[in-house]
Amino acid sequence: MQTAEIRNRWLKYFGDRGHTVVPSAPLVSDDPSLLFVVAGMVPFIPYMTGLIPAPYPRATSVQKCIRTNDIEEVGKTPRHGTFFQMNGNFSFGDYFKEQAITYAWELLTTPEDGGGLGFRPEDLWVTVYKDDDEAIALWKRIAGLPDERIQRLDKDTNYWSTGQAGPAGPCSEIFFDRGPAYGVDGGPATDDDRYVEIWNLVFMQYQIDNVTSKVDFDIVRELPNKNIDTGMGLERVAFLKQGVDNMYEIDEVRPVLDRAAVLSGKTYGANHDDDVRMRVIADHVRSSLMLMSDGVAPSNEGRGYILRRLLRRSIRSMRLLGVEGPTFADLFAASRDAMKASYPEVETEYDRISRLALAEEETFLRTLAAGTTILDTAVDETKTASKQELKGETAFLLHDTFGFPIDLTLEIAEEAGLTVDRTAFDRLMSEQRARAKADAKSRKTALADLSVYSAFRAQGETVFTGYDFLNTESRILGIIKDGQSVDRAVAGDIAEVILAETSLYAESGGQDADEGSIVGRGFDLEVLDVQKPVKGLISHRVQVRSGEVGVGDEATSVVDPTYRRGATQAHSATHLIHAALRQVLGPEAHQAGSYNKAGYMRLDFNWSNPLSLDTRTEIEDIANAKIRDDLEVTTRILPLDEARAAGAMALFGEKYGDEVRMVDIGGPWSRELCAGTHVSHSSQIGLINLVGESSIGSTNRRVESLVGVDAFRDFATERALINQLTSSLKTPREQLPDRIADLSTQLKVAEKRIAEFEAAALQTRVPSLVEKAAPVGALTVVAEAIGQVKSTDDLRSLVMSVRERLGQGSASLVALAADVQGKPAVIVATTQGARDAGAMAGALARTAAGILGGGGGGKDDLAQGGGSDLAAIPAALSAIVDAVRG
C-alpha cells in the first residue's frame, strides 16, 4: 500500500465519521517557542487548551512535522526521521476514550478491501498508563485484547503534558509486533525494535499544576471538556504495509536512496556504514525539500541553520560514499517525484527549491575542498601522536578561514574516533568576536586611544551649531596625530582636530558625517570624517591640504552645502518611509536601524516576510504624497517623558538623556526622537525612489531608497534605457514587455534547434569512432578524446550510439572523454560480454576520474566521471585501457 494511499484512507475514514478534514499547516510554527511543527497536534493546541474556541467539534489531519533532536540516530534505526507525517484525529469536548479506541481499532483491523489498513489483530499490542483501568477495560471490550497484550507503563512513556501547568492526560499506544526475527519476545515494554509504535492516543482529561518535571506534577481536577489527541505515524505504517525493514525504504523515501546508490556506484545492503549514509541522504534530502517548499532558506541561524545542517550532512554523506561532485540536481529531483503525489507544491515550487539547494551545494563543496585537506592532515597528526583530542585551534582555523562548520568538524572527528577541544575553540571564538568589535570600531572612527581626549573634554562639550549655520568661527583646542597630542600639523599630515564649536555634523543616529573643510589664516584642512569619540566631544579627522595649523589658531568649520542638502533630504526621507511602513504594515513594523547620506537612505525594520511589489509601491506612493503636501518639519527640545507621552518613536536599545530632540513631519504622523539634520518642509526632499527591499535576518527586513537628485537621475537612466529599447526594437514603450517576451521565446526555440543540430552533428562521428575500435585483451575497445561538447548528455548519447554500433552481442567497451564547459568528463559503457569478462563501467569511470582530479561512478554498464584537469584526459583514457589490459 503506497504512502499516499494510506494518507487518503485515513482522511476518508475520519471524514466519513464527521471529522472536519484540516489541511496540514506549514512546517514553520506560529508558536514562538518552536522553530517547527514537531507534532500533529501543534496547530490544534489553542483549541485543546481553550485559548481559542474550536471551530469544529472534531477534526482530522495529516500534518507535516520536523524533529531534529534525534538527528544522530537517523539512518541507524528503522523509525527515526527528521521529516515525518503524523495522521491525527482530534475531539474538542466531543467524544472521548471509548470512541477514540473504537476508531483506532476499527481502522487498523478492517481489511484493505473494506477501506481499512488490514492489520491482523493478533499482531497488535497496546500500552496504557499504569493507573488507567478505564482504558484497559475498553481495550478488552472493544478489541478483545487479552491481558498479556496490554501492558501498563509509567508516566515517563504513557502520560502527556506540555511540561507546564495546564491540560494533561494518560496515553495509550498501539504497537505492531514484527515477529521473532526482529528481536526478543516480551512486548513493547522491552523497548525493542521488534515492536513498532504506530499510534498514540492521548486522553486529555486533567488539569495539572506544580509541574517540576515530566513525571512530577499535581493533578488539580478533571477538565470540564475532555479532549482527544491522537497521532499515527504515517511513515511507520507505510514501511509495515509495504513489507520493508524501515521508513527509508518506503515509496516516498527509497527513490532518493536508490539514486544515491547509483551516483556512488554502491549497492544498498552490501555494507552497513554505506547503508546508514544512504539512509541519511534519503531522509535529509526529503526533509530539506519539504522545508524549502514551506519557505525556509539556508542561513546561519534558526530554521535556516537547521536546513543548512541537513543539506550539508547530505553532501558529507555523499562524499563518504565516494562522490565528491554535485549530486543535488539528481537527488532533489528524485525526492520531488516521490513526494508530489501527496504534496503537489513541491513540483510547482521546484524551480525555487532547486536554485536554493544547488547554490548551497556549490558553496559547501568549495568549503569542503578547502577544509577537508587541513582536517584530514590534523586527524592523521593527532593519531600519529597517539592523542584522542583534536586541537581547538585547528577547529577554529577551519571555521574562521574556510567557513567549515564546527558541527561538521565534530562529526568528522567522531568518525575518526577523536574528540575536539571545544573549550579552546569556544575561547578563540569569544576572542575573535571581541577583536571584530574592536576592529570595526577602529576602522569606523580611526580615532586615537580615548585617554588622549580627556584633557580636551575637560574644557567642556563641543558646541554643535550645524542646525542653524553651515559655517562657524571657532578656535583649535587640540591636534592629535598618530594617537598623540601635538602642537601642530603641516601639509600632507592626517590628524584629528578638536574645535570649541563646529557646524560639521558628527556621524550618529544613522546619519553619515558631513563633508566640508576647516580653514583659517594660512591653512586649509579637508575633513575626512567627523566622530564623537567620547560623549560631548566632536573630533574631526582631517588632511592638511595646505599650510600649517597649530593649537590656539582661529578656524572656521565649513559644511559642503550640496552635501548637507542631500543629507538632510535623505534623513527626512528616512522618517517618511518609516511612517509609511507603519501606516501600511501596522505598528509592529518598527525601525531597527538606519543609515543615510546625501542621496541615499536605508531603513531596517522588524518584519518577517518579504514585501510584495504592490506593498512597496504603496509605501513609496505614501511617502511621495507627503512630500507633495509640503509638510512642515519642526524640532523641539523637551523632557524624554514628555516626548514619549506625545507619541515620539524611539529606537530600541538607544540611550537618551533627560532631554531629547523631537522631530515632527506633519505633526504626529511622523514624530521621532532624532538628533539628525532635516529639511524645513517635506517638499524640499524632492523625490523618493524605493530601489530595494531585502532580508537581513529571520525577523528583520531592509528597504533602500534614492533621494532627491539621485532619485531623479535614476529615473532618467531608466527612461534612457527604455528609449534605447523602444528604438532598437522599434516597439512602443507600452508594448515592450510583450516584445521582449516574444524575443525570449524565439531565442529559446532557436537554442533548442541549435542543440538539435549540434546533437545530430555529433552523431555523424559514430562511424569514425567505430573504425578506431581496437582489441585490448579479450575486449574490443574504443577509447578516444573527442574535443569539446556542450553537455555530458551529448557525450553519453554518443557513447551509447558507438556501443550500439559495435553490437550488444560483442565483448566491447567504449570510453569517450571530452571538454564539457571547460571541465573534463569521461563516460564509459560496456556490453554484456565485456561485463562477463570483468570490465565494469563504474570502476573504470572512477579510475579515470581520479586522474582527472575529481570523482565518478555509476552502474556496471554505464558510468561517468569528471574532474578539473583537462590536460589529464589522455592519461585518464590510457588508465582505462591499462585497467582493461590488466
Side-chain angles (χ1 to χ4, degrees):
M1 188 182 294
Q2 297 294 288
T3 305
E5 173 65 16
I6 299 170
R7 180 179 188 273
N8 293 337
R9 285 183 180 230
W10 174 277
L11 294 176
K12 184 177 189 309
Y13 176 87
F14 284 103
D16 289 347
R17 287 156 181 78
H19 293 69
T20 298
V21 177
V22 180
S24 173
L27 285 166
V28 176
S29 175
D30 290 333
D31 186 337
S33 66
L34 296 172
L35 287 176
F36 301 115
V37 172
V38 296
M41 50 79 68
V42 168
F44 299 98
I45 288 177
Y47 309 147
M48 294 176 179
T49 60
L51 181 65
I52 300 174
Y56 24 68
R58 53 176 72 183
T60 186
S61 69
V62 177
Q63 175 61 46
K64 299 179 290 186
C65 305
I66 285 279
R67 290 183 195 169
T68 57
N69 53 319
D70 292 328
I71 194 170
E72 302 301 333
E73 297 303 312
V74 172
K76 300 176 183 177
T77 75
R79 61 186 186 275
H80 279 100
T82 51
F83 172 84
F84 61 96
Q85 300 161 84
M86 188 60 70
N87 296 9
N89 62 287
F90 308 91
S91 166
F92 311 110
D94 187 12
Y95 59 82
F96 200 50
K97 288 184 186 179
E98 180 173 2
Q99 198 63 53
I101 290 173
T102 299
Y103 285 148
W105 190 255
E106 183 177 88
L107 179 56
L108 284 174
T109 60
T110 297
E112 291 184 15
D113 58 10
L117 297 178
F119 284 97
R120 297 193 313 161
E122 55 267 34
D123 292 331
L124 301 178
W125 292 61
V126 299
T127 64
V128 297
Y129 175 55
K130 64 180 183 179
D131 297 333
D132 193 357
D133 295 332
E134 179 187 7
I136 291 175
L138 288 169
W139 278 115
K140 288 181 178 181
R141 176 167 63 83
I142 294 169
L145 285 173
D147 288 336
E148 60 269 21
R149 294 222 311 278
I150 304 174
Q151 296 186 323
R152 296 175 183 258
L153 298 178
D154 213 335
K155 288 180 180 176
D156 59 336
T157 58
N158 278 67
Y159 211 96
W160 180 90
S161 75
T162 62
Q164 302 176 4
C171 303
S172 183
E173 297 174 329
I174 306 172
F175 289 78
F176 177 82
D177 179 5
R178 296 201 288 170
Y182 289 91
V184 299
D185 198 3
T190 62
D191 197 26
D192 191 85
D193 283 342
R194 168 176 170 174
Y195 302 91
V196 179
E197 178 197 339
I198 56 176
W199 202 327
N200 184 19
L201 294 83
V202 177
F203 309 126
M204 203 176 300
Q205 63 185 112
Y206 298 114
Q207 179 81 22
I208 63 172
D209 204 349
N210 303 319
V211 181
T212 59
S213 72
K214 184 177 179 180
V215 298
D216 190 7
F217 49 80
D218 296 333
I219 296 176
V220 179
R221 60 181 174 85
E222 285 201 353
L223 293 173
N225 290 318
K226 299 176 182 178
N227 299 325
I228 287 294
D229 157 28
T230 84
M232 185 185 82
L234 181 54
E235 282 78 9
R236 296 187 182 191
V237 172
F239 86 70
L240 295 173
K241 294 303 297 178
Q242 292 174 20
V244 295
D245 286 339
N246 53 65
M247 64 164 288
Y248 314 102
E249 298 176 13
I250 67 172
D251 60 301
E252 288 190 348
V253 186
R254 180 64 185 255
V256 183
L257 186 154
D258 288 339
R259 194 63 194 146
V262 170
L263 292 171
S264 64
K266 304 285 187 179
T267 300
Y268 182 64
N271 177 280
H272 172 72
D273 289 342
D274 286 345
D275 288 352
V276 169
R277 289 162 187 154
M278 284 185 245
R279 292 195 286 261
V280 167
I281 293 162
D283 171 84
H284 287 8
V285 166
R286 183 172 80 136
S287 298
S288 300
L289 175 82
M290 300 308 297
L291 281 170
M292 288 188 283
S293 72
D294 274 347
V296 181
S299 70
N300 287 327
E301 62 179 23
R303 300 179 180 97
Y305 174 74
I306 290 174
L307 170 60
R308 174 161 283 167
R309 188 179 182 203
L310 292 170
L311 291 168
R312 292 186 169 188
R313 279 172 58 91
S314 302
I315 296 168
R316 171 65 181 161
S317 295
M318 285 301 299
R319 284 178 67 88
L320 291 173
L321 290 173
V323 182
E324 298 187 355
T327 59
F328 276 1
D330 287 333
L331 297 175
F332 271 82
S335 189
R336 173 202 61 200
D337 293 343
M339 295 301 296
K340 65 184 181 183
S342 294
Y343 301 99
E345 62 269 22
V346 301
E347 184 170 35
T348 57
E349 292 291 311
Y350 188 70
D351 285 348
R352 176 183 59 82
I353 293 168
S354 179
R355 284 195 299 270
L356 286 172
L358 297 183
E360 184 69 13
E361 181 181 39
E362 181 181 358
T363 299
F364 191 55
L365 285 175
R366 288 198 300 267
T367 296
L368 282 176
T372 301
T373 301
I374 294 174
L375 184 54
D376 289 345
T377 300
V379 167
D380 290 341
E381 290 175 350
T382 303
K383 288 185 172 182
T384 301
S386 300
K387 296 180 179 179
Q388 299 298 313
E389 186 175 65
L390 198 68
K391 292 180 180 179
E393 291 81 357
T394 302
F396 177 74
L397 172 68
L398 287 165
H399 170 84
D400 189 45
T401 305
F402 298 98
F404 213 73
I406 180 61
D407 62 308
L408 185 60
T409 300
L410 293 169
E411 196 171 295
I412 295 173
E414 182 182 359
E415 290 168 355
L418 302 175
T419 59
V420 176
D421 186 350
R422 280 302 299 269
T423 302
F425 174 82
D426 291 339
R427 173 178 53 80
L428 290 167
M429 284 294 294
S430 297
E431 292 174 359
Q432 183 214 44
R433 281 191 287 268
R435 283 196 307 272
K437 289 180 180 179
D439 290 346
K441 185 174 182 180
S442 174
R443 288 193 302 270
K444 187 67 179 172
T445 63
L447 298 172
D449 181 71
L450 295 183
S451 62
V452 78
Y453 300 107
S454 59
F456 307 126
R457 183 62 182 83
Q459 299 180 48
E461 294 188 10
T462 307
V463 177
F464 176 61
T465 64
Y467 293 134
D468 303 309
F469 307 103
L470 293 181
N471 301 341
T472 296
E473 295 180 357
S474 184
R475 62 188 177 89
I476 305 289
L477 295 181
I479 300 173
I480 301 168
K481 184 179 175 184
D482 297 328
Q484 302 294 321
S485 178
V486 296
D487 290 332
R488 60 190 54 253
V490 299
D493 284 350
I494 293 179
E496 292 178 56
V497 170
I498 311 295
L499 298 172
E501 300 89 13
T502 181
S503 55
L504 289 153
Y505 184 83
E507 180 183 359
S508 59
Q511 182 176 330
D512 211 348
D514 271 335
E515 292 182 1
S517 60
I518 299 173
V519 297
R521 182 174 294 178
F523 63 85
D524 181 359
L525 315 179
E526 179 187 1
V527 175
L528 305 176
D529 194 11
V530 189
Q531 294 290 331
K532 296 178 179 178
V534 295
K535 186 178 180 180
L537 190 72
I538 295 175
S539 173
H540 310 77
R541 186 166 178 260
V542 302
Q543 182 169 28
V544 183
R545 283 191 286 217
S546 63
E548 181 179 307
V549 61
V551 174
D553 288 349
E554 292 183 352
T556 300
S557 56
V558 180
V559 177
D560 181 331
T562 301
Y563 184 88
R564 170 64 74 82
R565 185 182 307 112
T568 59
Q569 289 172 324
H571 204 151
S572 297
T574 305
H575 286 217
L576 292 186
I577 290 290
H578 187 202
L581 274 167
R582 291 169 60 79
Q583 179 176 324
V584 174
L585 302 178
E588 62 271 25
H590 194 286
Q591 180 176 336
S594 65
Y595 172 72
N596 50 77
K597 62 180 182 177
Y600 170 84
M601 59 131 294
R602 71 171 185 240
L603 177 73
D604 302 336
F605 61 101
N606 302 130
W607 200 254
S608 300
N609 302 314
L611 304 185
S612 68
L613 180 59
D614 287 345
T615 300
R616 290 168 54 184
T617 300
E618 183 180 4
I619 292 166
E620 184 182 69
D621 286 347
I622 290 171
N624 280 311
K626 296 300 181 182
I627 292 174
R628 293 192 300 273
D629 289 343
D630 194 28
L631 302 176
E632 185 180 9
V633 180
T634 60
T635 61
R636 285 182 285 167
I637 305 296
L638 67 168
L640 177 60
D641 291 343
E642 186 178 333
R644 284 179 168 162
M649 296 294 301
L651 276 179
F652 178 77
E654 187 78 14
K655 294 181 179 179
Y656 297 97
D658 294 334
E659 287 197 332
V660 294
R661 184 171 182 257
M662 187 172 75
V663 178
D664 284 2
I665 304 180
W669 184 76
S670 172
R671 178 168 287 168
E672 299 192 29
L673 303 183
C674 180
T677 63
H678 288 273
V679 298
S680 59
H681 285 82
S682 61
S683 61
Q684 295 169 351
I685 295 172
L687 179 68
I688 289 174
N689 177 9
L690 200 58
V691 294
E693 189 270 341
S694 60
S695 169
I696 56 168
S698 59
T699 59
N700 286 327
R701 308 291 300 179
R702 170 174 290 169
V703 290
E704 298 176 89
S705 179
L706 298 176
V707 182
V709 173
D710 290 76
F712 281 108
R713 287 172 179 162
D714 187 64
F715 280 127
T717 300
E718 289 187 359
R719 182 177 62 185
L721 178 60
I722 291 173
N723 288 340
Q724 183 179 354
L725 286 171
T726 58
S727 176
S728 298
L729 300 178
K730 295 180 174 55
T731 304
R733 175 163 49 182
E734 63 274 10
Q735 296 178 16
L736 275 178
D738 291 340
R739 176 65 172 145
I740 292 172
D742 289 343
L743 288 173
S744 178
T745 300
Q746 293 172 24
L747 180 61
K748 289 178 181 178
V749 171
E751 289 175 342
K752 182 179 180 181
R753 293 191 65 188
I754 290 170
E756 291 171 352
F757 285 134
E758 289 176 344
L762 202 58
Q763 289 297 314
T764 63
R765 302 183 63 177
V766 172
S768 62
L769 288 170
V770 170
E771 289 178 2
K772 295 181 179 180
V776 178
L779 303 185
T780 298
V781 176
V782 176
E784 295 291 329
I786 64 167
Q788 294 183 343
V789 298
K790 190 172 182 179
S791 69
T792 53
D793 288 341
D794 291 339
L795 181 60
R796 185 181 300 108
S797 176
L798 184 60
V799 168
M800 295 174 69
S801 295
V802 173
R803 180 180 65 179
E804 183 179 355
R805 185 70 64 89
L806 290 172
Q808 283 288 348
S810 65
S812 302
L813 179 146
V814 180
L816 299 183
D819 175 346
V820 181
Q821 306 292 329
K823 293 185 178 181
V826 61
I827 294 183
V828 182
T830 59
T831 62
Q832 184 61 53
R835 294 191 292 279
D836 291 342
M840 303 302 173
L844 294 170
R846 282 193 295 275
T847 297
I851 295 172
L852 295 173
K859 297 180 179 179
D860 292 341
D861 65 327
L862 184 66
Q864 75 179 58
S868 57
D869 188 358
L870 283 168
I873 285 179
L877 291 171
S878 295
I880 291 175
V881 174
D882 291 343
V884 172
R885 183 179 291 111

